[in-house]
Every structure is written in C-alpha cells, then in structure tokens.
Amino acid sequence: MAELLVLSNVSRHVAGRLGEGFNVAYRADIDLAAWLHDNADTVRYIFTDGPTGIADDLLAELPNLEIISNLGVGYDGVNTDIATARGIPVTHTPGVLNEEVATTTVLLYLACWRNFEDELAQARS
C-alpha cells in the first residue's frame, strides 16, 4: 500500500522520481475518504505544497505519519502546532526562489519603465 500520500499536483518528472523510492498514492487519483478507510495507517509521509497544505482533519486520520514535506517557501497550510505535538517534522524549501523573485522584480521594473517611456514619447508628440 501507499507510504507516501501526495496531496498537491506534481509534474511527471517529480512523480517519476517519487515513484522510484516510494509506494505513492496521489490525491488527484483517489476518493480520499474511501481510500483513507482502507489505507490511513499505511501513510508515513505527506508531500504537499503551500497552497494545498494539509487539513487538520486529514492530519488526525494518519496515525503513522512521520513527516510532512512541503514544497514551497512557507508552510502556512500546515498546522504546525498539531504536527509538533505529534512529533511530526514539517519541512519546506526556504531560499529556493530568492533569485527568481529578484529577476522577476527587475524585469517588471524594466517593463514599467519601458511603458512609461512609450507614454512619455506619445505625450511629447
């Protein structure tokens, strides 16, 4: 049965890599309530992302959960108080987007400046 429950959407590449090391169940492919009835005790790992997180009631239904891996900078969608009380570590990926955010900021600035220059040129005409 599944030891890894993937709650968020993942690319084919990530799904392939997860399948190499784990028995995986994907939330998108199952009726979660029915699946949990038969498999909740087999879930040792959760893979999720910031927007998806993990609902408190789902967290309560997984008695053998060992870790919640959150793909993203924050983990607001995970109740860390509950996880901590149960001794379940919650991971995330801080710092991985810093350069991309900076690049996007510069590009947006340049796009705004270019539009400003175009507007200024039209106003002078």
Side-chain angles (χ1 to χ4, degrees):
M1 298 304 185
E3 58 195 37
L4 171 63
L5 177 58
V6 176
L7 300 177
S8 58
N9 294 323
V10 295
S11 68
R12 284 188 197 142
H13 175 74
V14 170
R17 295 293 304 266
L18 292 174
E20 292 172 6
F22 300 95
N23 295 315
V24 185
Y26 294 91
R27 169 65 185 100
D29 298 336
I30 59 175
D31 173 346
L32 187 59
W35 186 87
L36 284 171
H37 182 268
D38 296 327
N39 299 288
D41 61 337
T42 67
V43 177
R44 296 175 52 206
Y45 317 111
I46 290 287
F47 183 96
T48 190
D49 61 17
T52 305
I54 179 171
D56 293 353
D57 58 339
L58 175 56
L59 189 54
E61 291 189 57
L62 304 172
N64 297 315
L65 188 60
E66 296 176 20
I67 192 166
I68 300 168
S69 179
N70 188 66
L71 179 65
V73 175
Y75 44 88
D76 296 343
V78 178
N79 189 327
T80 55
D81 291 336
I82 293 173
T84 300
R86 290 185 48 195
I88 302 168
V90 178
T91 69
H92 63 121
T93 53
V96 298
L97 298 176
N98 294 358
E99 288 184 28
E100 291 308 312
V101 170
T103 300
T104 301
T105 302
V106 169
L107 291 174
L108 286 171
Y109 174 79
L110 291 173
C112 290
W113 180 255
R114 182 177 185 154
N115 189 44
F116 175 74
E117 283 185 330
D118 289 348
E119 293 291 326
L120 188 58
Q122 286 178 0
R124 289 182 180 162
S125 316

